[in-house]
Structures are given as C-alpha cells and as structure tokens.
Amino acid sequence: MKSIEFFRNIPFGQYIDNDTFLHRLSPAVKIVWVFMIIVLITGINSLVILLSLLIITFSLALLARINPNFILRGLLPIFGIVVFIIILQLLFFKPTGADIAIITLGKLVITKNLIVTLAGIILRFVDFMTVVTLFTAITTEADTVQGIEYLMKPFSKYSPWVHAFAMTINITFRFVPIVIGELELIVKAQVSRGSSFSEKKLFTGPIKAIKDYLPLIVPVIVRSLDKAMLLGDAMDARCYRSQGRTRYRALKHTYMENILLYLGFVLPVAVLVVSFVKKIA
Amino acid sequence: METKMVRTIVITAVLSALSIVFAVTSLGYIPWFGGISITIMHIPVIVAAILEGPIAGTIVGLVFGLTSLLKAASAPTGPVDLLFVNPLVSVLPRLFIGVVAWLIFTAFNGKIKPLAVACSAFFGTATNTILVLTMLGLTSAIRLAEVIGINVNAVPKTLIGIAWANGVPEAIGSIVITLAVVFGYWGITKGKAKIAKEE
Amino acid sequence: MKQTIQSNTVLIDIKKLSFVYPETDAYALRDVSLAITRGEYVAICGANGSGKTTLGRCLIGLCKPPVGTITINGTYDPASEENLFAIRTTIGMVFQSPQDQLVASIVEEEVAFGLENLGIPEEIMEYRITKVLDTLGLAEVRKRPCRFLSAGQQQRLAIASVLAMEPACIIFDEATAMIDPSGRNSILEIMDELNAQGITIVHITHDMQEAARARRVIVMNKGNMVFDGLPDALFALPHLKEWRLCPPFKPSKEKKHAVINNDAANKKITQAPDNAFEFHDVSFNYLKHTVFETKALENISITIPRGSITAFVGATGSGKSTALQLMNLILIPGKGYIKIFETCSNDKKISLRKIRMRCPLVIQIPERALFENFAGDEVAYGPRMQGYKGKALVERVKYAMEKVGLPYELYRDRNPRKLSGGERRKLALASVIAMDADAYLFDEPTASLDPCSAMEIMNLILELAEQGKTIVFATHNMHYADFADTVFCFDRGHATEYLKEQKTCADCVTAGVNTHSVVEFLHEKY
C-alpha cells in the first residue's frame, strides 16, 4: 500500500550543491568528457582501462566532495542483475582450448577467460553508472542546456534550427515535471473514481495492466500537447525568435577549459586507436 | 515562420519529455505474456512525426533511444537488456521511426486522414521492431545466444519469432493509441459515446 | 465612452472586430469596437466563455483577427505577421496558469528570456533583471529553479519577465485565478503600482472585486460588448445576473438559511455514534526518504461526523489538499491512521478501491483530468467501475447529468474538451455524483469559475448535503467556507477547528493563523 506520488521517480535533482572547481567547470567540457568516457566504455575491452576509468571517476567524485556512498547507492539497483549475469555465464560459458581452468567444482569449471569476461561486463556497468551519477551530481539542468548550446554554437550560423534545437532541449527539461504532474493528476482522478490502478503492474498480469494503462496514456499525451501549446503562446507573446537574439550569461571558456575540451575529443580517440593497433599486432 | 517554429519546438519538447517520463515510470513498457514487455515508447515519436514532420520525429526518436540506453544500463529488467547498452542497438534504429512515419503519413495524407495516421503508426512501429532486432542480430548474435541459452545458428529464427510476438501487439496498440491521440489533439471526435450501447 | 480621447494617445483601437474560431460556427467575438488610451486601467469582465480572453489574444495576434480591425499604437495591425514583433514589444501578456508560461528553469534566466529575444546587450540585461526582480520582491530567489517557487511567486516572476521588456501595456489574462488570496492581493497591488507608473493595464477577470480596482470596466457577454463605463455604474445595474456576473461578493441571506436547515438535519445524524472520517494523530511527508522530503501535515487529529458539511481553509501549501487526498487514501498517512467509515487506513486487508469509491475526491480544477472523448462516458466511468451495467448504468448517468444541468440527451456525445469552463466543471461534478457515494470530497470546487458558475456549483454541493451526504471541501474563498457547519483552518500542516457558533476571531489570531484572508473573513463575520 503506497501513496500515489509519481514525483518519486523524477530523474533530475540528484545535483549536489558543493562549490568545487568541478561544479564550476564549464558544462560543455563535462558533457564532452562524459560522452567520450561512455564511448570508451562501450568500445574497449581492456580490463586495465576499464578499471582505471573507474578509479578516475571515483577520484573526481572525491574532488567534487561527493560522498562515495552516494554513488554506491546508485549502483544498488543493478546488483541483482549482476548476480544474474554471473549465474548465466557460469551455466553457458564454454571454455575453449587455450583457456586455463582455475577452480573446478565438479561439473563447474571456472576458467581465466570466464573471469575476464565477467569482470568486463560488471566493470562496464559500474563505470557507466558512476560516470552518469557523477555528471548529474555536479551539473544542473540549466548548465547542461548551456553546455549543449555552447557545443552547437559553431553550427548555428548555418541554420536557425540549431538554436531551436538547443531551445527544444531546454524546454524538454522544463516539461518533465509538468508531464509527471499531469500524469499524477489523471491517475488520482481515475483512482478516486474506482480505477484499480496499481503501481506494481508486473504482478497484476498483462490484461489488467493494459486495462489500467490505456485510459491513462491517451489523455496524458493529449493534455501534455495542450500544455505545450500554452507554453508556445507564452513564448510567442514574449517575442521568441531564433535569430537576432543575445544570450544572458553566455558560457565563456577559459584557456584551461578549452584545452580540456579538446583533450576530451582527442584522448579517447587515441586510446581507441592504440588498443586497436595492439589487437592487430 | 517563427510562430511555426515555436510550435515545432514546444511539441517536440513535450513529446520528448513524455518519452522520458514514460521511461522512468516504466509506463512505456507494458508487461506482456511470457515475461517480455511490449513498448509504447515509439508512439510519441510517431505523433511528433505526424504533427511536426521528420526532424521533430527524429529528435523524439533520439530521446527514446537515449532513455532506452540509459534504462538498459542503469535499471535492467532482464538479461536481454544488457545488449541494449550499445547505441547501435538502442539509439540508431530509433532515429528512423520518425522519418518512416512521416513519409507514410504524407504519402497517404490528403484523402483519408484516419487511414494516413493508422498507416503511419503501423509502419513506424514496424521500423522500430525490424531495425532493432536486425541490429541486435548483427552486433551481438553470440551474446544473445548465450543469454537466452540457444545455439547461435538459431538466433535469426528466434529474432523473427520475437518480431511476431512483440511486433503484432505493438503495432495494434500503436495504431489505436496514435489515432486517439492525434484526433483527440485535433479536437475531432466522431461517433457516439460507448454508453449509447448500454441503453 | 466618457473620456475624451485624443487620437495621439490611443494605444489600442478596435473597430468592429468579429472572430470565429476555426471549425466552430459560433461567434467568439461580434462587432466589438473599443479604444484604450495610454495609461488607462481597464478591466474586461465576463463569464467563462464570454469572449474576454479571445479579445485579449487578438490584441497581440495569438488569435488571428481580421485584417484592419485592430490598430496598435496607431500603426501596427496584429493581423500582419511583420507587425507582431513590434506589437508584442509594446503589449505584454501575463497568462492564467503560472506554471505553464515559464520557459527557463532558473528565475533570472526566465526574466532574461524576453530580453534575449529582443537582442538586448548583456550589461543592460543585467541591470534590467536586477531592477525588476527587486521591484517584484524576487531578488532572494534569483538563482533558484522556477518550479520550486510558489504559484504566487511564479506569477510575479511572469510579470517580472514581461515588465523587463518595458512594454507600454500589460494584459493580465485571468492572472489571479489560480492563486491563493494572499498571493492574489500582492499581484493586484503590483498592477495598481504599475499603472501608477504609467503602464496601461488591461485586466481580464471575472472577479468583480478585482474589476472594481480598475477605473474603467468593459463587460463581455456571448461575444458582444455590453457595457463600457465606471465600475460603480456597473455594479448599480439591475441586470448584472443576465451577464452571469454579480456585484462584489456578499453571501446571500437565502443561502445561509439553507445551511441552517441543514444543521437541523445534521443534529439527528450526528447523534449516531459514527463519524465519517477520523484522523488519529496523522502526519504526512511528501517524497519521504528523498532529498525533496517536505512536511505537509503534522499530528492532525480531527473528526468529521456523518452528514455534515466541513470546510478546510488555509493558504496554498497549508496542508488542506493533502488532508483531502489522505481521506481518499490516494496518499497514505506516514504516521497515525485515518478511520474512514469505520475502516482503519492501517488495516492491511482493506481494499483501497472500495473505500475510495465511498468518498470520491474531486481534485482541484477537475476538468483538467477529464479523460474520455465523450461526456457520457466520462460520467459513466465511476459507476462502471462500481459494477453497474446496462439500464442501471444509463439510469445513473442520466440522473447525474440531469442534476448538474447537462441534459443527457444533449450532452452525451459531446467532447468534454469542447465544452465551456463552467460546463466542464459541472461534468466533472456529475462524474462523481453518478457514483452515489456516502461522502464527497472537493478540492477548491469553485476555483477559477465566474461568480454565477461558482454559485451554481456551491448550490449543487449543498443539495448533496441535503440528501444526507457528508461533504468536505477545501476553499480559499472564506465566503464559501461560511456554508459549512465546521471550518478547519490549516496552517503549515496544523489544523484548528472552528464551529459555526464559536466566536473565534481572537482565537484565530492567537493560534498564529496569520493567513491574511482567514483573519479578514472572521473579522467580517463576527
């Protein structure tokens, strides 16, 4: 028995308001680095690099004065699935010729390759979560939008739609709590008139889930579209245009931040190339 | 021109926000028979394409893809989710839903609006199902086989099976919901109340 | 028109403006002619759906008026796309819903948004932003996210954002309708202040008390302009009711009488031992165990007898809505328990659904949550959930729709989104009346309705009470609270009880209830 509170699920607001240089660092730099780390995580198989990435992000978190517990708590939800992967791998992993058995328990053979594969999968997960948690902890939504806008600035002379895109992202952030509010409203109206809506739909079976959810989804989308038009009016009334505007508190990069930005582009490419060359050699 | 642009911006933004909300509240994934879930996440993408064109559709598709990537990585619900921690599977295919939905809509639009919307919803959904499963097969057939516990050679067959099992209910759901949303938004309701049948 | 208008100072000139919304056949505006001079303070009044908002929207080209019917500043025509920029820098607009008009996520950036569009250099922006935020008392929240502001603050922010663009005229489109009394007063004061500084104010409202602040009132009825003159002249007119308006509110004697009758009926019922609702030391926090945890109610113990009418009053955020949602078990008490018709909320075996259907809650501005495509289906939703089918179901729906004055035959197949504001509120009410429950909970049943519609809704509620239903409603409007047998005053999560016969003004003040409106109300009453 739970209260109906969709705001519980709101993804933003993990921001931790410390005043460190990492918080003050240009959001554009942070975005590029996070993006590149994610590319590395998905593109690299070396355990050493994965592990060092993890160590780097954790040290950055410490520099941003973020309690390690905060990040570890974010890892909890994936714990179950990690256990599941381990079991699956144990059952289906087939050792190849060049493999070395480390532990043999009856039929179960734990080999070196198995451990390497497992460690890779788990490290990837942990890396990913840590990086994303760290980013949201040191960057506000408004900063994120500014960062994206900054990164797109070089292209904006080609089309007014580039600015429009940055505006779209900004408004998307604005709409998330509004849409959640709408959702909560319609659920409350239906529940109070006898709908048996339950948040634990996994256990109620597909037919009932559909019966509960369909009458919800259509009005939520339609009402949200209506709200969008209201905001559109408000923007029109305040003379929104994508060209000929100025920017308040436009992001300005220091010399150092520019170097970091370019490093963010160059470094991962270098790592990927090196590891690729190594593989061939 | 600016007014038109404002409209596109706010509608794209609200549908992107809906995608995010559907993803985090898991409203976008309805549990279906046999432990798999069918998704309605592509519906905002199709709606965006119908209302505001291919660019809007692609942006909302990008948001859908990113939420699916983040969801797979941060709160996976099953072993298959792991394979979605790959932008080639989770993001890339979703960029095409809007384009296809818009192409079909404009091709059919003009004469019978409901038909145009329904076809657009159908082909939009089909794009999602087919492209995602194809990318899954191309990028991670071996891990997929491991994870579901089948032989690698049986992967294509299994994927086609999933395509039917998931694709059909998703297409039907998508047609019904998209029609209701688009016409609800346009303020066009025809016919009689359900209660008329009870008299 | 009484004023002599010099042509060089006319800001807005409307000549025979008619407007029909696309895909409808009724005139939203018909032959409206009107001139507004610089520095004027005009209220445009009218019931829900009278065309007053459409008029405002036409002025800044949000609705496309016919070419040549409107002239702004002597030269610009809102029908032409090229003129819109000039018009919208001259005339700003503050909309009804505070939340839906904010673009940015941070307060200062919200103010900056309009200035950025105008292409104003950053140093000047900085100066203007600081100035307007100071003027509107928002300097302290400058760096905060907009969504953590109260509705009143959000609306002030919306005004600040328009003001920073230095318009000659500001249109307030029912800008106070969704704000509690104290927030509302501060906004009205700002409007007076701005007018004193020479800004033309056009205030679109259906609240006559607010209209009385203007120096000139224009009344709209069914798309026609029916009055243009001084507020006092308007209130003296005998046929105000025909326009669905009434002079600044005084609770009518007649209504009080109805309540007294009800009291007599109650006495019988309250002698029975049972209470409809009992709060036992209830506390509730929103978003428990998250960083956003906020206290909403603290150790509330109140009882509400069966068949009584109870009002919850208090400022926004005082906990009255929370209390109503707890009574419907949409929210579950964090500490303590609620007895609802002898069932305890902490009993693990209860069916939430069954309890909720015995005391349906009508949420704030309930038409927001109308979700069916047809009015008939909307009303049928509740009874259908209760298991009614066929003839019996239709019977229920018919009864409820008849009751609220939306005849079944006429309204069954109408789209709720296409009904007027008042009709939609009635439909939302019908949809719970159809459930024939034991108790009804209303969260601000009259919010943002014109006086006549509000009175109709209040009468419907009183009628339900006469049938012996338990009624609990939350309200900002102390005059409506007057209809209740018991008033609970909420303040920062605590509730104080005032019975009808108690003389409680002094108590109220000593209890630390500083809600401006409550004090004002109790003062007026005794």
Side-chain angles (χ1 to χ4, degrees):
Chain A
M1 201 158 78
K2 265 179 11 197
S3 298
I4 295 172
E5 275 187 299
F6 282 100
F7 278 97
R8 227 166 237 297
N9 298 318
I10 200 157
F12 312 120
Q14 297 299 315
Y15 180 71
I16 296 177
D17 197 3
N18 292 341
D19 190 27
T20 69
F21 82 95
L22 269 171
H23 286 78
R24 285 188 303 262
L25 184 68
S26 154
V29 174
K30 289 189 246 182
I31 290 170
V32 169
W33 277 78
V34 167
F35 193 74
M36 293 308 161
I37 289 177
I38 290 175
V39 168
L40 279 183
I41 292 171
T42 32
I44 286 239
N45 267 324
S46 150
L47 281 191
V48 180
I49 295 179
L50 286 176
L51 196 64
S52 34
L53 278 175
L54 186 64
I55 294 167
I56 292 169
T57 27
F58 252 100
S59 350
L60 286 175
L62 288 179
L63 280 176
R65 282 194 276 123
I66 286 161
N67 193 338
N69 278 338
F70 177 79
I71 290 174
L72 291 176
R73 236 185 307 151
L75 295 174
L76 276 180
I78 61 168
F79 184 73
I81 207 78
V82 166
V83 173
F84 188 77
I85 301 166
I86 294 176
I87 294 170
L88 267 182
Q89 293 281 339
L90 283 177
L91 291 178
F92 293 104
F93 192 79
K94 286 174 196 70
T96 46
D99 210 349
I100 310 150
I102 294 176
I103 308 167
T104 320
L105 285 171
K107 266 190 171 179
L108 260 171
V109 185
I110 298 173
T111 65
K112 191 180 162 225
N113 277 1
L114 174 63
I115 290 175
V116 170
T117 320
L118 273 180
I121 295 174
I122 295 166
L123 265 178
R124 268 204 189 94
F125 259 99
V126 176
D127 272 1
F128 190 92
M129 283 308 288
T130 315
V131 152
V132 173
T133 316
L134 175 64
F135 178 76
T136 51
I138 59 175
T139 327
T140 60
E141 318 160 21
D143 280 349
T144 311
V145 174
Q146 276 234 337
I148 294 170
E149 213 176 299
Y150 182 87
L151 290 171
M152 293 198 322
K153 214 165 61 184
F155 307 100
S156 63
K157 49 181 155 227
Y158 303 113
S159 162
W161 290 97
V162 175
H163 177 265
F165 181 68
M167 197 70 210
T168 308
I169 296 171
N170 179 12
I171 296 174
T172 302
F173 280 109
R174 270 270 303 127
F175 268 128
V176 168
I178 293 183
V179 168
I180 291 183
E182 288 299 300
L183 192 63
E184 197 169 301
L185 199 80
I186 293 174
V187 169
K188 281 180 179 174
Q190 292 184 352
V191 155
S192 121
R193 275 154 64 191
S195 147
S196 53
F197 177 86
S198 106
E199 285 189 74
K200 292 182 194 154
K201 62 177 171 173
L202 273 175
F203 308 106
T204 54
I207 300 296
K208 197 178 158 318
I210 286 182
K211 268 193 178 161
D212 280 358
Y213 279 73
L214 284 194
L216 192 62
I217 282 156
V218 174
V220 164
I221 302 180
V222 173
R223 282 210 44 85
S224 301
L225 287 171
D226 284 346
K227 290 238 155 190
M229 294 316 283
L230 286 180
L231 186 71
D233 282 346
M235 285 169 70
D236 270 337
R238 280 204 271 153
C239 303
Y240 175 73
R241 49 181 185 169
S242 50
Q243 282 162 317
R245 348 172 54 234
T246 44
R247 186 72 172 97
Y248 179 63
R249 301 250 157 113
L251 205 53
K252 284 186 198 83
H253 271 194
T254 60
Y255 192 61
M256 196 58 201
E257 279 169 333
N258 270 329
I259 294 176
L260 282 173
L261 186 72
Y262 297 128
L263 259 175
F265 284 111
V266 176
L267 217 61
V269 176
V271 175
L272 280 177
V273 169
V274 168
S275 74
F276 186 68
V277 170
K278 253 189 173 171
K279 220 184 210 171
I280 293 172
Chain B
M1 196 252 153
E2 293 287 351
T3 306
K4 173 82 183 70
M5 186 184 258
V6 167
R7 222 182 80 118
T8 309
I9 291 174
V10 288
I11 287 189
T12 311
V14 84
L15 288 166
S16 305
L18 272 164
S19 299
I20 294 174
V21 172
F22 281 172
V24 292
T25 58
S26 66
L27 257 181
Y29 300 88
I30 299 171
W32 195 241
F33 296 98
I36 47 173
S37 55
I38 59 170
T39 181
I40 55 155
M41 290 293 293
H42 53 286
I43 292 175
V45 186
I46 296 168
V47 172
I50 291 175
L51 295 181
E52 296 300 325
I55 299 177
T58 311
I59 294 175
V60 182
L62 175 69
V63 174
F64 168 27
L66 289 176
T67 60
S68 132
L69 174 71
L70 281 171
K71 197 179 160 64
S74 62
T77 50
V80 182
D81 269 3
L82 297 179
L83 307 178
F84 279 75
V85 192
N86 179 353
L88 290 178
V89 178
S90 52
V91 181
L92 187 71
R94 271 72 191 250
L95 302 180
F96 295 94
I97 304 173
V99 179
V100 171
W102 174 76
L103 279 174
I104 301 287
F105 179 71
T106 34
F108 282 83
N109 198 13
K111 291 157 214 153
I112 317 160
K113 272 226 161 102
L115 183 71
V117 173
C119 288
S120 165
F122 177 81
F123 284 102
T125 314
T127 311
N128 181 39
T129 314
I130 294 169
L131 287 186
V132 167
L133 291 176
T134 311
M135 287 313 289
L136 207 54
L138 288 179
T139 58
S140 37
I142 300 166
R143 280 177 69 194
L144 187 70
E146 265 172 32
V147 156
I148 15 184
I150 51 163
N151 197 304
V152 177
N153 302 328
V155 165
K157 219 176 178 184
T158 317
L159 286 178
I160 294 170
I162 296 177
W164 282 109
N166 267 31
V168 172
E170 276 175 16
I172 296 171
S174 150
I175 292 173
V176 172
I177 296 175
T178 311
L179 277 172
V181 166
V182 171
F183 283 93
Y185 171 69
W186 282 336
I188 305 169
T189 39
K190 289 213 175 89
K192 283 187 170 177
K194 280 177 273 173
I195 189 171
K197 287 186 209 130
E198 311 258 358
E199 279 172 26
Chain C
M1 260 165 270
K2 280 169 190 161
Q3 292 108 318
T4 43
I5 296 159
Q6 291 166 347
S7 58
N8 63 339
T9 59
V10 170
L11 182 68
I12 298 167
D13 191 15
I14 306 170
K15 287 203 175 75
K16 289 208 161 272
L17 168 67
S18 293
F19 186 81
V20 181
Y21 279 100
E23 287 175 52
T24 56
D25 36 16
Y27 277 99
L29 293 173
R30 188 159 204 179
D31 282 342
V32 177
S33 295
L34 169 74
I36 295 174
T37 342
R38 274 181 192 270
E40 264 198 285
Y41 189 161
V42 186
I44 301 180
C45 303
N48 300 110
S50 61
K52 57 187 192 305
T53 293
T54 311
L55 181 60
R57 292 171 61 89
C58 280
L59 291 179
I60 57 167
L62 288 177
C63 290
K64 288 273 160 279
V67 179
T69 50
I70 303 179
T71 318
I72 306 288
N73 219 359
T75 42
Y76 303 117
D77 183 350
S80 125
E81 192 86 4
E82 296 89 68
N83 285 345
L84 284 181
F85 190 81
I87 289 172
R88 289 170 183 167
T89 48
T90 315
I91 305 179
M93 191 158 186
V94 178
F95 294 83
Q96 180 177 19
S97 163
Q99 185 199 34
D100 295 337
Q101 57 184 307
L102 301 181
V103 181
S105 42
I106 304 285
V107 169
E108 59 176 4
E109 292 196 8
E110 180 62 33
V111 182
F113 174 74
L115 303 175
E116 290 174 342
N117 297 334
L118 298 185
I120 285 166
E122 197 173 342
E123 313 80 68
I124 301 177
M125 253 196 247
E126 188 69 57
Y127 168 75
R128 284 207 203 166
I129 292 170
T130 312
K131 198 175 106 188
V132 291
L133 288 180
D134 274 345
T135 315
L136 292 178
L138 293 167
E140 290 136 54
V141 292
R142 181 171 180 156
K143 301 271 181 197
R144 291 194 61 193
C146 304
R147 66 185 155 99
F148 293 141
L149 265 49
S150 73
Q153 282 176 318
Q154 284 182 344
Q155 198 65 309
R156 269 187 282 152
L157 174 58
I159 299 173
S161 313
V162 172
L163 193 60
M165 296 169 75
E166 302 188 340
C169 169
I170 303 179
I171 302 174
F172 291 83
D173 184 9
E174 301 190 41
T176 55
M178 291 168 93
I179 296 169
D180 71 15
S182 65
R184 175 178 306 203
N185 276 334
S186 87
I187 284 166
L188 291 169
E189 277 159 25
I190 290 166
M191 289 162 72
D192 295 349
E193 177 71 18
L194 293 178
N195 184 247
Q197 289 168 18
I199 296 175
T200 314
I201 302 288
V202 177
H203 186 192
I204 298 169
T205 178
H206 49 59
D207 185 316
M208 292 298 112
Q209 227 151 2
E210 292 180 4
R213 297 175 90 109
R215 286 196 294 278
R216 174 182 168 197
V217 183
I218 286 157
V219 178
M220 300 294 298
N221 185 41
K222 293 177 186 156
N224 297 299
M225 192 175 98
V226 290
F227 179 88
D228 181 356
L230 295 170
D232 287 339
L234 173 69
F235 301 143
L237 290 178
H239 52 284
L240 265 185
K241 269 248 157 70
E242 281 168 35
W243 301 333
R244 297 179 65 80
L245 296 173
C246 48
F249 199 85
K250 296 260 148 58
S252 58
K253 282 262 159 60
E254 195 188 327
K255 285 303 146 204
K256 267 203 170 160
H257 192 65
V259 175
I260 290 162
N261 278 345
N262 225 48
D263 268 349
N266 286 339
K267 292 251 158 65
K268 267 181 243 152
I269 300 162
T270 43
Q271 275 161 5
D274 52 351
N275 284 320
F277 302 96
E278 289 173 26
F279 281 63
H280 291 269
D281 208 22
V282 171
S283 297
F284 182 80
N285 288 7
Y286 279 103
L287 300 173
K288 211 168 187 167
H289 308 308
T290 71
V291 274
F292 296 120
E293 180 160 352
T294 41
K295 197 187 284 171
L297 285 181
E298 208 178 0
N299 304 332
I300 299 270
S301 293
I302 56 179
T303 52
I304 293 165
R306 270 192 195 204
S308 66
I309 308 179
T310 307
F312 288 176
V313 299
T316 306
S318 59
K320 57 191 195 313
S321 290
T322 311
L324 283 174
Q325 292 184 25
L326 283 164
M327 288 158 77
N328 194 238
L329 293 184
I330 279 177
L331 302 176
I332 309 293
K335 205 181 107 249
Y337 65 96
I338 306 175
K339 244 183 174 177
I340 301 162
F341 294 115
E342 304 301 303
T343 321
C344 285
S345 68
N346 56 359
D347 184 345
K348 293 260 180 327
K349 276 171 268 163
I350 55 168
S351 152
L352 290 178
R353 214 178 133 226
K354 288 213 173 98
I355 296 177
R356 283 172 184 155
M357 285 195 286
R358 285 191 77 178
C359 51
L361 167 70
V362 180
I363 54 166
Q364 236 176 77
I365 320 211
E367 56 270 29
R368 289 182 297 173
L370 295 176
F371 50 88
E372 294 277 8
N373 275 333
F374 297 101
D377 291 336
E378 185 70 42
V379 180
Y381 184 89
R384 208 173 246 152
M385 284 292 165
Q386 288 173 312
Y388 285 91
K389 277 193 191 104
K391 279 258 151 53
L393 176 66
V394 177
E395 225 30 65
R396 277 286 178 97
V397 175
K398 259 188 189 158
Y399 167 78
M401 290 181 75
E402 247 31 89
K403 191 103 210 153
V404 299
L406 303 172
Y408 177 76
E409 278 75 23
L410 280 175
Y411 282 85
R412 186 189 72 194
D413 298 332
R414 302 263 308 260
N415 183 347
R417 276 156 51 90
K418 293 278 166 93
L419 301 177
S420 79
E423 282 174 332
R424 291 201 301 182
R425 182 68 55 89
K426 284 179 196 161
L427 183 66
L429 232 61
S431 68
V432 294
I433 292 176
M435 297 175 71
D436 194 27
D438 298 322
Y440 292 96
L441 314 172
F442 298 95
D443 198 351
E444 310 218 5
T446 58
S448 85
L449 285 185
D450 64 62
C452 271
S453 303
M455 215 46 240
E456 281 167 16
I457 298 290
M458 238 21 236
N459 282 336
L460 272 169
I461 291 174
L462 296 176
E463 227 173 280
L464 286 174
E466 271 165 28
Q467 292 168 12
K469 314 282 189 194
T470 311
I471 303 286
V472 184
F473 66 96
T475 184
H476 286 321
N477 191 320
M478 300 307 143
H479 301 296
Y480 293 129
D482 212 13
F483 291 129
D485 308 322
T486 317
V487 176
F488 287 100
C489 188
F490 281 75
D491 185 42
R492 276 162 270 156
H494 298 276
T496 329
E497 182 173 356
Y498 298 98
L499 286 170
K500 212 173 177 65
E501 53 273 12
Q502 276 180 328
K503 290 202 172 188
T504 47
C505 185
D507 299 352
C508 186
V509 178
T510 49
V513 183
N514 51 10
T515 314
H516 174 75
S517 51
V518 173
V519 178
E520 191 183 43
F521 156 68
L522 291 168
H523 195 73
E524 256 173 53
K525 192 172 163 190
Y526 304 104

